[in-house]
Each structure stands twice: as C-alpha cells, then as structure tokens.
C-alpha cells in the first residue's frame, strides 16, 4: 500500500508519517459483551481509522492506473468508474467485462483486498431480452 502511495506521487515524508501512524496498531474485539485479548494489526489500517477510506481510494487509483484502463466507453471497450469503496465497470462485451474484473481482482488481491461477491451486482443493457440470472467471472457468480 505504501509503495502505491509513492507511485502516485505522494511525497515520501507524508508516506512515512502515514506509516508511523499505522505502526504498532493494536485492537480488541467485542463478542457477546466480552472483549478478546489485544492483538497487533499487521496489515492495512484500523477499521474506522480516518485515513482508511482515503488510503483505500488511493490504492484503488493505483490499481486502475497500473492497468491503464483510463479513457471513456466511446474509445475503449471497457471503462471503470470508481467511487469510494465501489467500482462500476461498463463494458461493450461480456468477455471484456470478465477480463477487466479478473485483472482488477488480481491486483487488488496482491494488496490484500477482496471482492465481496454478495454485494456485487451486474446489470445488462441490451435491445434483446436475455434470461441470464447470473454472471460467472472466474470463481465468482454475480446476481442480476
């Protein structure tokens, strides 16, 4: 994640400050009104941390920049539309959509991010009515 910030041009001093705020983080979890033992957080930001959404957006931007899928749907077969912790993928074909999702998922997984299959939906816009109820993309099956 910190490397992604440097690639995006975030000043090294700021990246070091972010790293320092994340170092040594600990947490505890409440289960049935009882707290677990304290444990170290070794990956990512603390849940609820003010920086977590900003860092997520920056890492997502780095993923999309690395894939070089900028442009618009008029000149490319696929366009991504990221917003906070969501990404809409518009595509001219099902195969282009699957390829883009595969590439985004691969880069996200390298950074410890996962696709939430239960929250992911797809919408088909076509002149011909299709009876597809699901879209299969690799290991995922997304509902209409």
């Amino acid at each position: 994640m910190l490397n992604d910030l440097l690639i995006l041009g975030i000043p090294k001093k700021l990246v070091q400050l972010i790293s320092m705020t994340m170092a040594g983080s600990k947490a505890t979890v409440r289960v049935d009104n009882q707290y677990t033992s304290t444990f170290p957080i070794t990956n990512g930001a603390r849940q609820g941390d003010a920086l977590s959404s900003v860092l997520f957006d920056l890492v997502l931007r780095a993923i999309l920049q690395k894939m070089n899928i900028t442009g618009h749907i008029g000149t490319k077969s696929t366009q991504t539309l990221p917003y906070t912790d969501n990404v809409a993928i518009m595509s001219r074909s099902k195969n282009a959509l699957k390829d883009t999702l595969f590439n985004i998922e691969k880069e996200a997984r390298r950074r410890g991010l996962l696709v939430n299959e239960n929250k992911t939906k797809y919408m088909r816009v076509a002149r011909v009515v299709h009876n597809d109820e699901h879209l299969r993309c690799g290991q995922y099956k997304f509902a209409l």
Side-chain angles (χ1 to χ4, degrees), residues 8-121:
L8 289 172
I10 306 294
K12 187 175 181 178
K13 187 171 185 172
L14 186 54
V15 173
Q16 288 172 335
L17 288 171
I18 291 168
S19 177
M20 287 171 38
T21 65
M22 294 169 54
S25 295
K26 296 180 181 179
T28 185
V29 177
R30 186 173 71 179
V31 179
D32 294 329
N33 290 328
Q34 294 185 351
Y35 289 92
T36 64
S37 301
T38 301
F39 56 91
I41 298 175
T42 57
N43 292 329
R46 295 179 299 254
Q47 186 172 354
D49 189 311
L51 277 177
S52 62
S53 61
V54 173
L55 293 174
F56 178 84
D57 286 345
L58 291 171
V59 169
L60 182 59
R61 178 178 291 222
I63 289 169
L64 297 176
Q65 181 177 313
K66 181 175 184 180
M67 294 175 56
N68 192 24
I69 50 176
T70 57
H72 58 82
I73 199 68
T75 59
K76 297 218 174 193
S77 63
T78 302
Q79 181 177 4
T80 58
L81 306 151
Y83 180 75
T84 58
D85 63 346
N86 298 299
V87 178
I89 304 170
M90 292 184 353
S91 184
R92 292 179 187 217
S93 73
K94 193 183 281 190
N95 287 337
L97 175 84
K98 289 179 180 184
D99 289 344
T100 301
L101 177 62
F102 174 80
N103 291 327
I104 290 173
E105 194 268 341
K106 181 176 74 173
E107 286 298 321
R109 186 176 295 275
R110 287 184 49 229
R111 292 160 174 86
L113 301 174
L114 303 173
V115 172
N116 187 332
E117 185 174 4
N118 295 324
K119 290 184 177 180
T120 304
K121 306 288 181 217

Side-chain angles (χ1 to χ4, degrees), residues 126-139:
R127 293 181 184 165
V128 179
V129 177
H130 296 277
N131 292 328
D132 298 344
E133 291 186 24
H134 295 90
L135 174 68
R136 289 205 168 273
C137 291
Q139 68 186 30

